[in-house]
Amino acid sequence: MRRRAVPGAGLPRPAFRLTPGQAITLAFGAVLAIGTVLLSLPGATVGRSATFIEALFTATSALCVTGHVIVDTATFWSPFGQVVIMVLIQIGGFGVMSLATLLGLLVARRLGLRTRLTAVSETHTVAVGDVRRVLVGVAGITLATEAIVAVLLTGRFWLGYGESFAGALWLGVFHAVSSFNNAGFALLSSNLISFATDPWIILPICGAIILGGLGFPVIMELRRRIRFPRRWTLNTVTVVSGTIVLLVAGAVALTALEWSNPATLGPMDPAGRVLAGFTMSVMPRTAGFNSIDVSQMHGASWYVTDILMFIGGGPAGTAGGLKITTFAVLFFIIVAELRGDTAVNMFGKRLPRSTHREALTVALLSLALVVGSTLAIMVMSPFGLDRVLFEVISAFATVGLSTGITADLPAAAQGILIMLMFIGRLGPVLLGTALALTREKRMYELPKERPIIG
């Protein structure tokens, strides 16, 4: 009986295959390299060409939807350079591998298993079979939100501030993309300070930031079940509840602290102060726009902003930071331990022990990165702890707010911020998994023994 030949039989199997985490990391690195090259071109700037560190820093900040800048976006970059920045923001917010998967879906009409697994890792989809529906839904939500915000902003810039229609349209589109993707890049040298008391500019931008910061899984569930909160998943309940609490608490704290500050809220009327205070509570949710001069805020206000930035927004979206869900899990772990409960319960659900470990791992890795980077930059620069810590948390949480020292930092310190933005966008655990040298599991357990705690 003749044996049938199997295609590829006898060929050596590849010794190494990329995991989804490694694929996502390499894809971000490749797009970052392309963005850096494009921003280094003479046509990307007005006047002199960008240096390597200026191009790399800006490309990283845009792709990681941060908003940190070391050159003025409005005056340094040409229209071509600004388009490159906007495209990088859109790619970074949607997800490099998610975008590639969606384009492959549109062309081939089907997805391979490895492609699905990679998309699952980036979008945090529950099941492999959900990838097609999730990607199409995410694309629809992104484009619809950005279109609505762009129309509102274009109308205001055109009719309210005397911009030409073409100029107003470009301002509207750019800021709509930047706000929904929580990037914080602005085409105005003063960012949003000139519009601090204009609700027609501020509120659409804040609305897009809040929506993008909820995370795509939450947005899609709210779209289906917004009238049935009892049927919301634990993730949605946690993110929505946490977002409301942090927005209100942040607005009250920052408005109260800055109410009489003559360099920030002091010169505004009461309604303007409330609007500006609310805006500065929204922005640390990893957006990075500023409607007041952050460098003139009180030290206590910087500290409140540090906390808001470190916590961040919802997972699997355009926000960065520790994430609301991680912070909530840590909070309820503490509550359970103080009450002596045998299990950790959160909003009527019991958390698996693997979730405890994941939350602790993310929190400790994040804290280690922030502490280590703050120390390193303080050694390299003449700035104090309050300003350096603010810059480090802002970079790691992909926020982009600054006390004004970023451009004055030495190149090595700016390189640390670049690393923080990259890691902050991909996530400490994802990057650690992508760089892991082994996939072997330990097949035995060590003897159990309890150390003294506290």
Side-chain angles (χ1 to χ4, degrees):
M1 187 173 178
R2 194 171 180 181
R3 182 171 295 178
R4 194 179 209 181
V6 179
L11 296 177
R13 292 185 177 181
F16 178 76
R17 282 188 177 183
L18 295 177
T19 65
Q22 291 168 335
I24 295 169
T25 304
L26 291 177
F28 261 82
V31 175
L32 176 60
I34 295 172
T36 302
V37 170
L38 291 176
L39 291 178
S40 299
L41 298 176
T45 58
V46 177
R48 68 173 179 84
S49 298
T51 63
F52 172 74
I53 191 67
E54 289 170 342
L56 175 61
F57 194 98
T58 304
T60 305
S61 184
L63 184 63
C64 298
V65 292
T66 304
H68 257 318
V69 295
I70 55 177
V71 293
D72 184 12
T73 306
T75 59
F76 185 81
W77 302 107
S78 68
F80 169 73
Q82 292 171 358
V83 169
V84 171
I85 291 172
M86 186 181 71
V87 172
L88 288 173
I89 291 171
Q90 189 72 82
I91 293 174
F94 189 78
V96 175
M97 294 305 295
S98 296
L99 181 61
T101 303
L102 180 62
L103 293 176
L105 174 63
L106 295 176
V107 173
R109 299 289 180 180
R110 60 192 180 90
L111 300 174
L113 179 59
R114 181 163 292 276
T115 303
R116 289 173 182 265
L117 290 173
T118 303
V120 164
S121 295
E122 191 169 50
T123 61
H124 291 253
T125 309
V126 176
V128 174
D130 291 338
V131 172
R132 183 192 303 266
R133 176 180 57 82
V134 168
L135 291 181
V136 174
V138 167
I141 291 169
T142 300
L143 296 177
T145 303
E146 290 174 353
I148 293 171
V149 175
V151 168
L152 295 173
L153 294 179
T154 298
R156 185 57 176 167
F157 283 124
W158 182 32
L159 302 175
Y161 292 93
E163 293 282 347
S164 65
F165 179 75
L169 179 63
W170 174 232
L171 288 173
V173 171
F174 186 95
H175 290 93
V177 172
S178 184
S179 58
F180 179 75
N181 289 286
N182 281 218
F185 277 90
L187 294 182
L188 305 155
S189 297
S190 60
N191 209 279
L192 299 182
I193 292 178
S194 301
F195 313 104
T197 58
D198 185 350
W200 296 101
I201 295 291
I202 295 298
L203 292 182
I205 290 177
C206 286
I209 291 167
I210 294 171
L211 190 62
L214 291 176
F216 292 119
V218 173
I219 298 173
M220 295 184 70
E221 182 168 7
L222 291 178
R223 189 176 62 172
R224 298 192 313 268
R225 302 175 180 173
I226 191 168
R227 295 183 296 174
F228 307 100
R230 292 185 178 181
R231 297 171 58 187
W232 291 356
T233 61
L234 178 60
N235 182 72
T236 298
V237 172
T238 304
V239 172
V240 172
S241 302
T243 297
I244 294 172
V245 170
L246 291 174
L247 285 176
V248 173
V252 171
L254 291 172
T255 303
L257 289 170
E258 295 295 320
W259 187 266
S260 301
N261 187 343
T264 56
L265 300 185
M268 303 178 187
D269 58 68
R273 296 181 193 183
V274 172
L275 179 60
F278 171 73
T279 303
M280 291 313 296
S281 177
V282 172
M283 299 312 167
R285 313 311 310 292
T286 81
F289 290 106
N290 62 286
S291 62
I292 61 175
D293 188 351
V294 176
S295 66
Q296 299 299 315
M297 292 169 61
H298 295 310
S301 300
W302 284 345
Y303 184 66
V304 172
T305 306
D306 285 341
I307 296 172
L308 295 175
M309 290 192 298
F310 190 70
I311 295 174
T318 59
L322 190 67
K323 300 296 189 301
I324 292 174
T325 46
T326 305
F327 181 79
V329 168
L330 294 174
F331 174 79
F332 281 101
I333 288 176
I334 295 173
V335 171
E337 194 64 29
L338 292 176
R339 294 174 56 179
D341 295 338
T342 56
V344 178
N345 302 314
M346 189 167 76
F347 297 114
K349 300 292 179 63
R350 180 171 57 85
L351 298 179
R353 293 191 179 276
S354 59
T355 302
H356 310 175
R357 295 194 299 270
E358 290 171 5
L360 289 170
T361 301
V362 170
L364 290 176
L365 284 176
S366 301
L367 188 62
L369 280 169
V370 168
V371 171
S373 300
T374 300
L375 176 60
I377 294 179
M378 287 182 66
V379 171
M380 298 176 185
S381 69
F383 301 107
L385 174 62
D386 51 357
R387 290 181 181 271
V388 173
L389 180 63
F390 192 99
E391 303 294 315
V392 167
I393 295 178
S394 181
F396 172 73
T398 68
V399 178
L401 291 174
S402 173
T403 59
I405 68 171
T406 307
D408 298 325
L409 292 173
Q414 292 174 350
I416 292 176
L417 296 182
I418 290 172
M419 175 200 70
L420 287 171
M421 289 188 285
F422 193 82
I423 294 176
R425 179 58 184 145
L426 294 180
V429 173
L430 175 60
L431 191 63
T433 302
L435 299 178
L437 299 178
T438 178
R439 304 177 198 174
E440 295 181 1
K441 294 183 178 180
R442 181 176 291 177
M443 303 304 294
Y444 60 90
E445 291 187 354
L446 298 174
K448 183 184 294 185
E449 186 174 347
R450 179 186 176 92
I452 299 174
I453 304 296

Short mmCIF file of all heavy atoms in Angstrom, two decimals, residues 383-408:
data_model
loop_
_atom_site.label_atom_id
_atom_site.label_comp_id
_atom_site.label_asym_id
_atom_site.label_seq_id
_atom_site.Cartn_x
_atom_site.Cartn_y
_atom_site.Cartn_z
N PHE A 383 16.21 68.50 39.39
CA PHE A 383 14.84 68.72 39.83
C PHE A 383 14.52 67.88 41.07
O PHE A 383 15.09 66.80 41.27
CB PHE A 383 13.86 68.41 38.71
CG PHE A 383 14.09 69.25 37.48
CD1 PHE A 383 14.64 68.70 36.33
CD2 PHE A 383 13.78 70.61 37.48
CE1 PHE A 383 14.87 69.47 35.21
CE2 PHE A 383 13.99 71.38 36.36
CZ PHE A 383 14.55 70.82 35.22
N GLY A 384 13.56 68.38 41.87
CA GLY A 384 13.19 67.73 43.11
C GLY A 384 12.25 66.57 42.93
O GLY A 384 11.76 66.28 41.83
N LEU A 385 11.94 65.91 44.05
CA LEU A 385 11.13 64.70 44.04
C LEU A 385 9.73 64.96 43.49
O LEU A 385 9.23 64.15 42.70
CB LEU A 385 11.02 64.14 45.47
CG LEU A 385 10.07 62.95 45.66
CD1 LEU A 385 10.52 61.76 44.84
CD2 LEU A 385 9.98 62.58 47.14
N ASP A 386 9.08 66.06 43.89
CA ASP A 386 7.69 66.27 43.49
C ASP A 386 7.55 66.38 41.98
O ASP A 386 6.66 65.77 41.38
CB ASP A 386 7.11 67.51 44.19
CG ASP A 386 7.98 68.74 44.03
OD1 ASP A 386 9.08 68.63 43.44
OD2 ASP A 386 7.58 69.83 44.52
N ARG A 387 8.43 67.13 41.33
CA ARG A 387 8.34 67.29 39.88
C ARG A 387 8.75 66.01 39.14
O ARG A 387 8.10 65.61 38.17
CB ARG A 387 9.21 68.46 39.42
CG ARG A 387 8.67 69.83 39.86
CD ARG A 387 9.57 70.95 39.34
NE ARG A 387 9.07 72.26 39.77
CZ ARG A 387 8.19 72.99 39.08
NH1 ARG A 387 7.73 72.55 37.93
NH2 ARG A 387 7.79 74.17 39.54
N VAL A 388 9.82 65.39 39.58
CA VAL A 388 10.29 64.17 38.90
C VAL A 388 9.27 63.04 39.04
O VAL A 388 8.97 62.33 38.08
CB VAL A 388 11.66 63.73 39.45
CG1 VAL A 388 12.07 62.38 38.86
CG2 VAL A 388 12.72 64.78 39.12
N LEU A 389 8.73 62.86 40.24
CA LEU A 389 7.73 61.82 40.45
C LEU A 389 6.52 62.05 39.56
O LEU A 389 5.96 61.11 38.99
CB LEU A 389 7.31 61.79 41.92
CG LEU A 389 6.26 60.74 42.31
CD1 LEU A 389 6.80 59.34 42.08
CD2 LEU A 389 5.83 60.92 43.76
N PHE A 390 6.10 63.31 39.43
CA PHE A 390 4.97 63.65 38.57
C PHE A 390 5.26 63.24 37.13
O PHE A 390 4.41 62.62 36.47
CB PHE A 390 4.71 65.16 38.65
CG PHE A 390 3.41 65.59 38.03
CD1 PHE A 390 2.30 65.83 38.82
CD2 PHE A 390 3.29 65.77 36.66
CE1 PHE A 390 1.10 66.25 38.27
CE2 PHE A 390 2.10 66.17 36.08
CZ PHE A 390 0.99 66.41 36.89
N GLU A 391 6.45 63.57 36.61
CA GLU A 391 6.80 63.22 35.23
C GLU A 391 6.86 61.71 35.03
O GLU A 391 6.41 61.20 34.00
CB GLU A 391 8.16 63.83 34.87
CG GLU A 391 8.26 65.32 35.02
CD GLU A 391 7.38 66.08 34.04
OE1 GLU A 391 7.37 65.73 32.86
OE2 GLU A 391 6.72 67.03 34.48
N VAL A 392 7.42 61.00 36.00
CA VAL A 392 7.58 59.55 35.88
C VAL A 392 6.21 58.87 35.87
O VAL A 392 5.94 58.01 35.01
CB VAL A 392 8.46 59.01 37.03
CG1 VAL A 392 8.36 57.49 37.12
CG2 VAL A 392 9.90 59.43 36.83
N ILE A 393 5.35 59.22 36.81
CA ILE A 393 4.01 58.60 36.85
C ILE A 393 3.24 58.96 35.59
O ILE A 393 2.54 58.12 35.01
CB ILE A 393 3.25 59.04 38.11
CG1 ILE A 393 3.93 58.51 39.36
CG2 ILE A 393 1.80 58.55 38.04
CD1 ILE A 393 3.27 58.95 40.66
N SER A 394 3.37 60.19 35.13
CA SER A 394 2.68 60.62 33.92
C SER A 394 3.12 59.82 32.72
O SER A 394 2.30 59.44 31.87
CB SER A 394 2.92 62.12 33.69
OG SER A 394 2.24 62.57 32.54
N ALA A 395 4.42 59.54 32.62
CA ALA A 395 4.92 58.74 31.49
C ALA A 395 4.49 57.28 31.62
O ALA A 395 3.99 56.68 30.65
CB ALA A 395 6.45 58.83 31.44
N PHE A 396 4.66 56.70 32.81
CA PHE A 396 4.29 55.29 32.99
C PHE A 396 2.80 55.05 32.79
O PHE A 396 2.39 54.05 32.21
CB PHE A 396 4.70 54.82 34.39
CG PHE A 396 4.18 53.45 34.72
CD1 PHE A 396 4.74 52.33 34.13
CD2 PHE A 396 3.12 53.29 35.59
CE1 PHE A 396 4.25 51.06 34.41
CE2 PHE A 396 2.63 52.02 35.88
CZ PHE A 396 3.19 50.91 35.28
N ALA A 397 1.97 55.99 33.26
CA ALA A 397 0.52 55.85 33.13
C ALA A 397 0.01 56.36 31.79
O ALA A 397 -1.20 56.42 31.59
CB ALA A 397 -0.17 56.59 34.28
N THR A 398 0.93 56.70 30.88
CA THR A 398 0.61 57.22 29.55
C THR A 398 -0.38 58.38 29.62
O THR A 398 -1.36 58.43 28.90
CB THR A 398 0.09 56.12 28.61
OG1 THR A 398 -1.20 55.66 29.04
CG2 THR A 398 1.04 54.95 28.52
N VAL A 399 -0.09 59.33 30.51
CA VAL A 399 -0.95 60.49 30.70
C VAL A 399 -0.49 61.66 29.84
O VAL A 399 -1.21 62.14 28.97
CB VAL A 399 -1.01 60.91 32.18
CG1 VAL A 399 -1.87 62.15 32.35
CG2 VAL A 399 -1.55 59.77 33.02
N GLY A 400 0.74 62.13 30.09
CA GLY A 400 1.26 63.23 29.29
C GLY A 400 1.24 64.58 29.99
O GLY A 400 1.77 65.55 29.45
N LEU A 401 0.62 64.68 31.16
CA LEU A 401 0.69 65.93 31.92
C LEU A 401 2.12 66.16 32.39
O LEU A 401 2.86 65.21 32.65
CB LEU A 401 -0.26 65.89 33.12
CG LEU A 401 -1.76 65.90 32.81
CD1 LEU A 401 -2.56 65.71 34.09
CD2 LEU A 401 -2.16 67.20 32.12
N SER A 402 2.50 67.43 32.51
CA SER A 402 3.89 67.73 32.86
C SER A 402 3.96 68.99 33.71
O SER A 402 3.15 69.91 33.53
CB SER A 402 4.73 67.90 31.60
OG SER A 402 6.04 68.34 31.91
N THR A 403 4.91 69.03 34.60
CA THR A 403 5.18 70.24 35.37
C THR A 403 6.10 71.19 34.62
O THR A 403 6.51 72.22 35.17
CB THR A 403 5.80 69.89 36.73
OG1 THR A 403 7.04 69.18 36.51
CG2 THR A 403 4.86 69.02 37.55
N GLY A 404 6.46 70.82 33.38
CA GLY A 404 7.26 71.70 32.54
C GLY A 404 8.73 71.39 32.48
O GLY A 404 9.51 72.18 31.95
N ILE A 405 9.15 70.24 33.02
CA ILE A 405 10.58 69.94 33.06
C ILE A 405 11.01 68.93 32.01
O ILE A 405 12.21 68.68 31.85
CB ILE A 405 10.99 69.41 34.45
CG1 ILE A 405 10.37 68.03 34.71
CG2 ILE A 405 10.59 70.38 35.55
CD1 ILE A 405 10.89 67.35 35.97
N THR A 406 10.07 68.34 31.27
CA THR A 406 10.41 67.25 30.34
C THR A 406 11.46 67.68 29.32
O THR A 406 12.43 66.96 29.07
CB THR A 406 9.15 66.76 29.61
OG1 THR A 406 8.14 66.44 30.57
CG2 THR A 406 9.47 65.51 28.80
N ALA A 407 11.27 68.84 28.71
CA ALA A 407 12.19 69.29 27.68
C ALA A 407 13.57 69.64 28.24
O ALA A 407 14.57 69.64 27.50
CB ALA A 407 11.61 70.50 26.95
N ASP A 408 13.64 69.93 29.54
CA ASP A 408 14.91 70.32 30.16
C ASP A 408 15.66 69.14 30.75
O ASP A 408 16.77 69.33 31.28
CB ASP A 408 14.64 71.36 31.27
CG ASP A 408 14.02 72.64 30.72
OD1 ASP A 408 14.38 73.02 29.58
OD2 ASP A 408 13.17 73.23 31.40
#
